[in-house]
Amino acid sequence: MTDPTTHTPTTALADVQARIAAAAHEAGREPATVHLIAVSKTFGPEAILPVIEAGHRLFGENRVQEAKAKWPDLRVRFPDLLLHLIGPLQSNKTREAVALFDAIHTVDRPKIARAIADEQKHQCKRLKLFIQVNTGEEPQKAGIAPQEAASFLAHCRDDLSLEIAGLMCIPPQDEEPAVHFAFLAKLADELKLAELSMGMSGDFETAVAFGATYVRVGSAIFGAR
Ligand SMILES: *Cc1c(COP(=O)(O)O)cnc(C)c1O
């Protein structure tokens, strides 16, 4: 365990990276195939800057408005930053989202897919896109139903010319995440999609064992929100 008196986002970042590398080795994977998204939602530049200065470049935010207030200045100072949207996207925020982010993990319905396609055309930009799958089939949860994933992917590709990189999921709180990670990995394999966005602070090592290529880790780096 890390000594709480010396626990800073920077030491926590190194700790999480070491745990990802160990989990990758354990699974017979190359650690470099797992990308760590440092989820900085609710934290300000004073918490984020030390992590950037430690060399980290990949960050995640879950709200467009919050990201818009925080990141443009940092991006000017650090042009090689990469910013991923990991939270739900409303269609009226698509223009700002496409302008601000390098990737969207939450493509989950035709209306959003079309809005992203239109904006990408307008802005001459191509983001890395993930389809969010509601693996727990929870009624209130975002994400496409697993049985609709194949047809939604075909719609994104064939009708909208969107390039989809992979799948994303957020397992239900009270269920074993491994079941959902295994399921998402199998679905991505069937759909021949390379990227898997899964795993958070409490379960990223399990996600790596099941093939995650992007883990989204917030509180284990920045502390409790
Ligand atoms: C906040 C958030 C995370 C990070 O959660 P932690 O438990 O703090 O690591 C990951 N994914 C999504 C979609 C989130 O909203």
Side-chain angles (χ1 to χ4, degrees):
M1 284 306 291
T2 318
D3 177 354
T5 56
T6 59
H7 188 92
T8 66
T10 315
T11 57
L13 174 78
D15 184 55
V16 168
Q17 281 167 331
R19 288 169 59 192
I20 289 171
H25 281 307
E26 183 81 14
R29 302 182 56 200
E30 190 57 51
T33 61
V34 185
H35 304 285
L36 169 60
I37 303 173
V39 177
S40 49
K41 64 187 185 200
T42 77
F43 290 93
E46 71 291 345
I48 297 170
L49 258 178
V51 176
I52 298 175
E53 277 160 358
H56 198 74
R57 289 296 179 267
L58 176 55
F59 291 84
E61 290 282 343
N62 72 331
R63 289 169 184 274
V64 176
Q65 288 315 108
E66 182 186 341
K68 207 180 146 197
K70 260 156 54 175
W71 284 95
D73 288 351
L74 290 167
R75 274 195 178 277
V76 170
R77 288 176 63 189
F78 303 94
D80 57 342
L81 283 175
L82 290 170
L83 194 58
H84 286 204
L85 178 63
I86 60 167
L89 178 58
Q90 283 140 13
S91 51
N92 64 352
K93 297 269 164 57
T94 311
R95 174 159 304 176
E96 289 167 308
V98 169
L100 186 61
F101 290 94
D102 301 291
I104 296 175
H105 290 238
T106 49
V107 183
D108 67 346
R109 55 195 192 278
K111 189 179 178 191
I112 279 296
R114 174 165 296 281
I116 292 171
D118 289 346
E119 273 311 317
Q120 290 201 142
K121 235 173 262 161
H122 283 140
Q123 301 184 30
C124 295
K125 254 188 109 174
R126 269 175 114 63
L127 278 63
K128 192 165 195 120
L129 301 174
F130 296 77
I131 291 175
Q132 181 175 358
V133 182
N134 185 0
T135 58
E137 304 192 54
E138 298 168 280
Q140 291 92 318
K141 191 101 148 226
I144 199 96
Q147 60 276 12
E148 288 167 16
S151 60
F152 182 57
L153 173 65
H155 171 63
C156 289
R157 280 183 175 155
D158 304 340
D159 306 330
L160 304 172
S161 301
L162 285 179
E163 218 174 284
I164 301 292
L167 302 179
M168 176 270 212
C169 78
I170 307 172
Q173 292 249 318
D174 50 354
E175 288 182 27
E176 180 52 58
V179 175
H180 295 270
F181 298 155
F183 180 84
L184 196 73
K186 183 167 173 287
L187 188 57
D189 190 54
E190 286 166 9
L191 299 174
K192 299 188 167 53
L193 292 169
E195 309 287 0
L196 280 170
S197 166
M198 56 190 198
M200 307 177 17
S201 290
D203 54 23
F204 65 85
E205 286 147 311
T206 307
V208 170
F210 283 96
T213 59
Y214 286 86
V215 292
R216 312 178 306 264
V217 179
S219 50
I221 296 172
F222 292 103
R225 290 182 295 271

